[in-house]
Amino acid sequence: MTYQGVVFTAPWPLRFNPHVDAARESAIDWMRRFDLLHGEQAVEDFTNWRLAEVAGFFYPQADLDACCTAAQMMGWYFLPFDDQLDGEAGRDPRRVARICGALIDIVHGTPGTERHQAPTVRAFADLWERMVRGMSAPLRSRVAHHWSSYFASQLTEAIDRTDGRVHTDLEEYFQLRAATTCAFGQNDLAEHWGGVEVAPVVWHHPLLRRMRQLAADLVGLRNDSMSLNHEDVTGGHNVIHLVERTHGCTRDEALVIASGIAQGKADELVELERQELPRLARALDDSQRVAVAGYADILHDWVCGDYEWERITTRHHAHRTLPEWATSLLVGAEG
């Protein structure tokens, strides 16, 4: 069954990077070089999942090199990593801790990771160096924190799978969901690749904190609602399952309720930008006013880009099983 998913409206335009075609070819070549794609079916899946397009939606301001790196990152993010932990590996917390610990080592510059045995880990070492190249020290510190949080959240999910824990508090769930989508780490990269870095003294302002959480919640709601064909089989955390449990309602009713929640969050974000963002901007110098306005655009790109990508990708059309060739991608990362 194909779900329409959570629906909401927002006034922001959908933007797209002009370098996507070149980025797609770059990503396919890079993934083949690191043994992350095997055979024509894998290349077809990469293309049909629209992973280069999602990079183009999230990073419309990136130049050619950055857009290629973003497409490679999206290729790495899904089957070589995320889908691995949807399977057997993700039900062994100790194994997940060792895998994600190796990736966190890369984020924090541990030497020798580029020679790691596991293709997924070795590829991320190559990717990370280019993701952070040219970053300011404050932004690099922030992106390292957020990507470490993303990897650590995989352990949280593995423990929850093992214990059978389910969430009943929606806002608590959204805090975890922001980490499991690497929402804030993706936003950091958009600052880097879009040239609109927000200074730490402003980035930590409660208004921007609320805005980025709302944007992350919207992406989480949309993604969870579109991935039901897969997660109805695998289990794990999903906001639609949570709504069904807490409201005692049908699937269709849960999607309506979740769409209402999403619309409320979109409306709140619009209102914060209309009323509160100008107040913050008045207190800033010219360069930071520009950066804050650009940061709002980054959140718009994140929300609108994900909404469109969920519509056009084939990734969620059915329950996904890990192809046999991909089962070796994390071998060697457990020790």
Side-chain angles (χ1 to χ4, degrees):
M1 179 177 182
T2 300
Y3 291 103
Q4 181 186 23
V6 160
V7 294
F8 58 90
T9 60
W12 315 303
L14 178 68
R15 302 196 296 175
F16 195 59
N17 193 295
H19 304 300
V20 162
D21 289 340
R24 182 185 304 106
E25 295 306 312
S26 169
I28 290 170
D29 290 346
W30 177 81
M31 293 181 74
R32 280 176 161 161
R33 180 154 52 90
F34 281 93
D35 294 325
L36 305 182
L37 286 179
H38 285 213
E40 291 308 309
Q41 184 59 54
V43 173
E44 186 176 335
D45 287 343
F46 176 93
T47 302
N48 290 338
W49 285 8
R50 305 295 183 92
L51 299 183
E53 282 80 354
V54 75
F57 291 139
F58 286 177
Y59 307 108
Q61 302 297 100
D63 64 19
L64 175 60
D65 285 346
C67 189
C68 289
T69 300
Q72 293 165 20
M73 175 186 66
M74 291 301 174
W76 181 91
Y77 183 94
F78 288 100
L79 185 141
F81 179 68
D82 186 79
D83 285 359
Q84 303 288 321
L85 301 188
D86 267 352
E88 181 183 350
R91 286 160 177 78
D92 182 345
R94 293 181 183 179
R95 186 180 180 193
V96 171
R98 290 190 291 269
I99 291 167
C100 292
L103 295 166
I104 290 172
D105 283 347
I106 292 169
V107 168
H108 291 291
T110 300
T113 49
E114 71 282 358
R115 299 186 299 276
H116 201 284
Q117 179 181 347
T120 295
V121 177
R122 192 168 62 251
F124 185 71
D126 176 81
L127 185 62
W128 180 258
E129 189 277 329
R130 288 176 291 111
M131 286 166 60
V132 301
R133 186 180 297 164
M135 276 189 180
S136 69
L139 185 54
R140 181 157 184 164
S141 175
R142 174 155 41 98
V143 78
H145 171 80
H146 287 142
W147 277 78
S148 296
S149 176
Y150 165 57
F151 293 131
S153 73
Q154 308 306 309
L155 174 60
T156 302
E157 288 200 307
I159 294 170
D160 289 350
R161 287 188 195 101
T162 303
D163 293 348
R165 184 195 177 193
V166 295
H167 282 267
T168 56
D169 183 277
L170 196 59
E171 294 308 313
E172 178 189 42
Y173 173 74
F174 283 138
Q175 295 296 317
L176 174 63
R177 196 71 178 94
T180 61
T181 57
C182 199
F184 305 147
Q186 297 284 357
N187 299 159
D188 294 338
L189 290 169
E191 286 183 73
H192 178 48
W193 290 332
V196 292
E197 183 178 340
V198 179
V201 71
V202 181
W203 187 87
H204 291 280
H205 190 280
L207 173 61
L208 297 191
R209 184 185 308 128
R210 180 59 180 165
M211 287 171 58
R212 60 180 164 264
Q213 183 65 54
L214 287 168
D217 295 351
L218 287 167
V219 170
L221 281 155
R222 176 74 170 162
N223 179 262
D224 280 6
S225 69
M226 297 298 283
S227 61
L228 285 165
N229 286 320
H230 182 66
E231 290 175 354
D232 281 346
V233 176
T234 62
H237 297 316
N238 185 293
V239 72
I240 305 303
H241 295 164
L242 189 161
V243 172
E244 288 173 335
R245 285 194 304 270
T246 56
H247 287 76
C249 62
T250 67
R251 173 61 51 83
D252 286 344
E253 290 168 339
L255 288 167
V256 170
I257 292 168
S259 293
I261 293 168
Q263 189 62 61
K265 288 178 178 291
D267 292 346
E268 181 182 350
L269 185 51
V270 169
E271 195 63 14
L272 286 174
E273 291 182 24
R274 187 182 72 84
Q275 289 196 344
E276 298 299 325
L277 202 59
R279 176 173 172 267
L280 173 60
R282 285 194 297 271
L284 305 176
D285 63 26
D286 290 344
S287 64
Q288 276 307 313
R289 276 197 291 272
V290 170
V292 165
Y295 191 76
D297 286 337
I298 284 169
L299 301 181
H300 304 160
D301 293 333
W302 172 240
V303 172
C304 296
D306 176 78
Y307 195 103
E308 179 64 9
W309 176 70
E310 305 283 0
R311 187 185 70 81
I312 65 175
T313 183
T314 62
R315 176 174 162 81
H316 304 312
H317 284 186
H319 168 56
R320 300 182 301 279
T321 57
L322 202 64
E324 181 63 29
W325 65 264
T327 57
S328 65
L329 295 182
L330 281 174
V331 171
E334 301 95 329

